[in-house]
Amino acid sequence: MSDPTGDLTAPTGAGRGRGGAGDREAPQDVRREVPQGALVLIGPPGAGCRSVAAELVAPGARCRDLEAVTAARLAVDPALAHVVVAEEVYRQAEARAAVELLEGARPGDALALGSGCLTSPAVLRALDALRARGGTVVALTAQARSLARRNGLDAPRSVALGPVHRTFVTLLRQREALCRDLADAMVDTTGLSASRTAQLVREKVVLRRQP
């Protein structure tokens, strides 16, 4: 499922995990600072990885979206990839593409990785190597209701969607736990625009690197 492009709209969401609500408030100059090293965004479907990555990419750097790269290599429409490609085939292609993106990431790049590839040992090794080069991994999340809405699973009183919604919530909890364990910082995107979320990501990353 794709990330939202714009419904990420008002109250701030408190980040969790290692970058939780107890973080210091960033001064104005820190909020404008561009984090050094590549930034990798992970998170469940609908968390906003793609749209936030587009806000975070440094001037002259690259914004890379794993879902789009994987679909291109499989020669399918990204919106239909999970329908027309067998799950195992898709995940293998996704993991290979993720490793290549992580290994090729340069300072200032922003990578939208999502969460489907995070069970691959090769991807986990590539994440560790990126951290060793000064990169940072940030997990995005949101309340289950917001994620369901962003993924089109909020139809009112739909009996047909009941099993699908339960499956989605189960997947969401599994993916969130995995992302929390892998992230250097976490940001809740509930009610936030992509630009506001990007600002919070910058604050957490910059403050984390300060002595």
Side-chain angles (χ1 to χ4, degrees), residues 1-2 67 71 76-83:
M1 297 180 207
S2 299
E67 184 179 57
V76 296
D77 184 331
L80 300 176
H82 293 282
V83 177

Side-chain angles (χ1 to χ4, degrees), residues 9-35:
T9 20
T12 59
R16 296 181 295 177
R18 282 176 259 183
D23 287 350
R24 293 171 288 160
E25 177 69 13
Q28 201 65 34
D29 57 339
V30 168
R31 295 177 188 181
R32 291 192 296 267
E33 186 173 339
V34 177

Side-chain angles (χ1 to χ4, degrees), residues 24-87:
R24 293 171 288 160
E25 177 69 13
Q28 201 65 34
D29 57 339
V30 168
R31 295 177 188 181
R32 291 192 296 267
E33 186 173 339
V34 177
Q36 301 300 308
L39 272 174
V40 177
L41 299 182
I42 60 176
C49 292
R50 180 190 306 131
S51 52
V52 176
E55 295 280 342
L56 285 166
V57 63
R62 302 166 301 173
C63 179
R64 310 298 302 276
D65 173 35
L66 177 60
E67 184 179 57
V69 171
T70 303
R73 294 186 179 186
L74 292 169
V76 296
D77 184 331
L80 300 176
H82 293 282
V83 177
V84 301
V85 179
E87 177 75 8

Side-chain angles (χ1 to χ4, degrees), residues 1-2 146-155 161 164-165 168:
M1 297 180 207
S2 299
S146 292
L147 292 173
R149 183 181 69 252
R150 295 172 186 176
N151 285 280
L153 299 177
D154 61 336
L161 280 179
V164 176
H165 189 275
F168 176 76

